[in-house]
Amino acid sequence: MSSGPHHSVPLTQAQIAQQQQAQAHASDLAKRRSRKPTDKSMPDGVEDCSIGDGAQRYKELRDFERRLDATMTRKRLDIVDSVGRNAKRYKTLRIWISNTVEDQAWQTNPLDPDNFNFTSNLESSYRVKIEGRLLDDEDDVDKVDDEAKSAADADDADKMDTDAPARPKATPASAKPAQRYRLSHFFKALTVDFDRSRGRTGADVSVEWKKPDRTPASSTLPAAADFDELTFKRNGDENMNVTVNLYRDEIPPNDRFEISPDLAEIVDMHEGSRPEILMGLWEYIKLMNLQEDVEKRNFRCDELLRKVVGAETGHLPFLQDYIQGHLRPLPPVKMPYTIRVDEEFHRDPQPTVYDVRVMVDDPLRAKLFPFIHNPQYAAMLKEVAGLDDQLAVLVQAIAASKAKQTFLTSMAADPANFVRQWLSSQTRDLEVIMGEATRGGGEDATGDEWRSGGKDSVWATQNARESVNSILARIPAHR
């Protein structure tokens, strides 16, 4: 192919005619839009020549419509802002840790003194259960406690035969389970640290769970990442101290960080997301009046800010760089627990309970979302626009009728003077438009009103300005 410029192909007569037709159609649409009435305000004085209070009520409805439109627009913007900010709220996740035992020495049959074989084929073991429930409000705390206790009493040995997460209970086909948060939704990993000084084998330190990645093709979590309780079994016949570590699952851009002591003293929080930390730092700068008077993007550093910025002055666009070195990943939630295998404890076992603060989506967000994504909203706006066009046409017709009524009423009151003044006005306007008016402006331009000047004189009217411009346009420019 040639690298040189390509010659344009000339248009055919049909293409030229099509372009001309499209341009004519666009011009026609523009003219129609320019002639389209848009004023929906009722002309003044209509209520004086109309029957009833329709004109006054129309004005009241127009005023109410303006206030209603302003309120709806403001509320809609608030809803869009609330949904767009991805608002979160804190809730309490209650976690129960308990354990059961099997084949302990105090559970087996007593040994027969006449039997010389004191060995047993059974090996002592214990099972640990970690269960979590999200508390909706304070009224549900006692209810959840009762449910957890009843569920613990009803559990049998077969339920905890594996280290895999416990399956959720089956529900009848007719009952649709409500969408709710589960224990695994808030954490990306769980580990259990055993007391190494008491552990006999390496198997005692191998309890670990990691949340699998969600596949792009599936919108639901796999079973291994959607559970409320997790159990594991180990062998042992002695009490064991363990620490359950929960690693929080933070999703960008709302991931949260642990804040260094120097920065925490400024923003007054020990953990938070980047937007929250930046806003806290900016509010501190404004509160302490540290912005420079001339260059607002710069600020002075006091004793606390110098520890974060590392200089005497700072630059507002670099706030994110300043806080980068003061953010650390959130530490895991540590929950110590003692695995009890003695008979005295298991006569009346009590679980160890921990309350963990977790962040969930604001429940109002799901209810507000349909307001801004309603498919009927666009159709409603189109219908309202059509009604506004019809209303503007009716108001234009009313204005034309009002002008006719004023014309006829004035002529009926004093026909001779009205016709004389009307002819004089039309003659003067015609002379002004044609640029043929004399210095005075017409046949009646010899009175005192044409001799006097000033702000309120005849020369300050629109007709006078148009006349002067028309006359100046007819004068050839001198070279």
Side-chain angles (χ1 to χ4, degrees):
M1 296 180 62
S2 175
S3 60
H6 297 279
H7 297 286
S8 59
V9 180
L11 299 177
T12 62
Q13 292 295 332
Q15 292 176 339
I16 295 176
Q18 186 177 4
Q19 286 186 355
Q20 292 177 351
Q21 185 178 3
Q23 293 176 358
H25 181 66
S27 177
D28 183 62
L29 290 178
K31 291 180 180 179
R32 290 184 181 182
R33 284 194 296 268
S34 64
R35 293 194 298 264
K36 182 179 178 180
T38 57
D39 189 11
K40 294 178 290 185
S41 301
M42 189 68 67
D44 296 332
V46 175
E47 58 273 6
D48 298 334
C49 57
S50 61
I51 301 175
D53 58 346
Q56 182 62 29
R57 296 191 62 180
Y58 175 82
K59 292 182 178 180
E60 294 175 357
L61 287 175
R62 283 281 297 160
D63 181 64
F64 179 78
E65 182 188 21
R66 283 191 290 268
R67 290 187 281 112
L68 182 62
D69 288 343
T71 303
M72 292 176 62
T73 303
R74 185 174 66 254
K75 293 297 182 182
R76 184 173 179 82
L77 291 176
D78 292 341
I79 293 175
V80 172
D81 181 65
S82 299
V83 174
R85 283 188 290 108
N86 194 15
K88 301 283 186 177
R89 60 177 297 186
Y90 282 103
K91 279 196 173 185
T92 301
L93 179 68
R94 178 155 295 181
I95 299 176
W96 295 268
I97 305 178
S98 60
N99 74 279
T100 59
V101 293
E102 297 176 4
D103 301 326
Q104 298 293 327
W106 53 271
Q107 290 179 313
T108 59
N109 295 327
L111 298 177
D112 187 359
D114 297 333
N115 187 359
F116 292 96
N117 185 9
F118 297 102
T119 62
S120 174
N121 294 328
L122 300 177
E123 189 171 3
S124 301
S125 62
Y126 53 82
R127 300 172 186 269
V128 179
K129 180 174 72 171
I130 304 170
E131 183 180 4
R133 292 287 189 275
L134 190 65
L135 304 183
D136 291 336
D137 49 43
E138 296 298 332
D139 297 335
D140 292 342
V141 173
D142 298 333
K143 180 180 178 181
V144 172
D145 287 340
D146 296 339
E147 292 179 354
K149 184 178 293 185
S150 301
D153 296 339
D155 285 342
D156 51 15
D158 295 336
K159 184 178 179 181
M160 306 176 70
D161 284 343
T162 177
D163 288 353
R167 295 180 180 178
K169 296 181 180 180
T171 56
S174 59
K176 295 182 179 179
Q179 181 68 25
R180 63 182 181 88
Y181 292 96
R182 307 177 77 92
L183 172 65
S184 58
H185 295 175
F186 300 103
F187 307 102
K188 62 183 178 181
L190 181 148
T191 61
V192 180
D193 297 334
F194 289 78
D195 186 357
R196 293 178 179 268
S197 63
R198 304 293 297 275
R200 295 179 298 177
T201 62
D204 291 338
V205 293
S206 61
V207 178
E208 182 179 6
W209 166 82
K210 289 185 177 180
K211 179 185 291 186
D213 296 332
R214 178 183 296 182
T215 58
S218 176
S219 60
T220 59
L221 289 171
D226 190 22
F227 59 88
D228 281 325
E229 61 184 67
L230 180 123
T231 63
F232 64 90
K233 178 183 177 180
R234 291 295 180 269
N235 296 327
D237 56 0
E238 295 181 355
N239 293 343
M240 177 70 66
N241 294 325
V242 298
T243 302
V244 179
N245 302 309
L246 297 175
Y247 296 86
R248 283 172 277 201
D249 189 7
E250 301 290 343
I251 302 176
N254 297 315
D255 49 344
R256 304 179 69 79
F257 300 90
E258 184 183 13
I259 305 174
S260 67
D262 293 337
L263 183 58
E265 192 173 358
I266 296 176
V267 299
D268 195 21
M269 63 178 75
H270 297 285
E271 64 178 52
S273 62
R274 291 180 186 271
E276 293 174 349
I277 298 171
L278 291 174
M279 182 57 66
L281 190 59
W282 164 239
E283 289 179 352
Y284 177 83
I285 294 174
K286 290 195 300 182
L287 179 64
M288 304 304 293
N289 196 22
L290 297 176
Q291 273 187 287
E292 292 187 359
D293 298 333
V294 178
E295 182 53 64
K296 295 295 184 180
R297 294 181 299 175
N298 298 334
F299 60 90
R300 302 177 297 275
C301 293
D302 57 6
E303 183 178 356
L304 297 179
L305 278 176
R306 277 194 293 270
K307 299 178 182 178
V308 176
V309 178
E312 294 296 330
T313 59
H315 201 49
L316 288 179
F318 296 158
L319 286 182
Q320 184 136 350
D321 298 334
Y322 298 147
I323 68 173
Q324 185 62 36
H326 297 268
L327 304 181
R328 296 185 292 270
L330 286 177
V333 179
K334 296 182 177 293
M335 299 181 295
Y337 178 71
T338 301
I339 300 175
R340 300 286 298 272
V341 299
D342 54 285
E343 181 181 5
E344 180 182 358
F345 174 80
H346 286 279
R347 289 174 183 172
D348 186 19
Q350 297 294 331
T352 302
V353 182
Y354 290 94
D355 284 343
V356 180
R357 290 185 73 196
V358 294
M359 294 189 66
V360 299
D361 290 332
D362 194 337
L364 291 178
R365 186 173 182 269
K367 298 180 180 179
L368 295 177
F369 193 80
F371 284 98
I372 60 175
H373 294 85
N374 189 355
Q376 299 179 354
Y377 182 71
M380 183 268 293
L381 290 181
K382 186 175 181 180
E383 182 180 359
V384 170
L387 294 176
D388 285 343
D389 293 341
Q390 297 179 17
L391 185 60
V393 173
L394 293 176
V395 170
Q396 186 185 44
I398 293 175
S401 300
K402 175 63 175 58
K404 293 179 180 179
Q405 191 269 346
T406 303
F407 179 85
L408 296 176
T409 303
S410 301
M411 184 175 63
D414 190 0
N417 291 330
F418 176 81
V419 172
R420 187 182 304 109
Q421 294 176 0
W422 181 72
L423 291 176
S424 175
S425 174
Q426 293 297 311
T427 303
R428 184 166 57 251
D429 292 343
L430 183 60
E431 292 177 351
V432 169
I433 294 174
M434 299 299 295
E436 298 176 354
T438 60
R439 184 177 183 277
E443 56 186 9
D444 294 332
T446 57
D448 295 337
E449 67 274 10
W450 292 96
R451 297 191 183 95
S452 61
K455 179 180 179 181
D456 299 329
S457 66
V458 177
W459 297 103
T461 60
Q462 183 67 22
N463 290 339
R465 287 195 293 270
E466 291 180 357
S467 301
V468 172
N469 292 335
S470 178
I471 293 174
L472 292 176
R474 294 165 60 92
I475 300 176
H478 295 281
R479 296 183 182 271

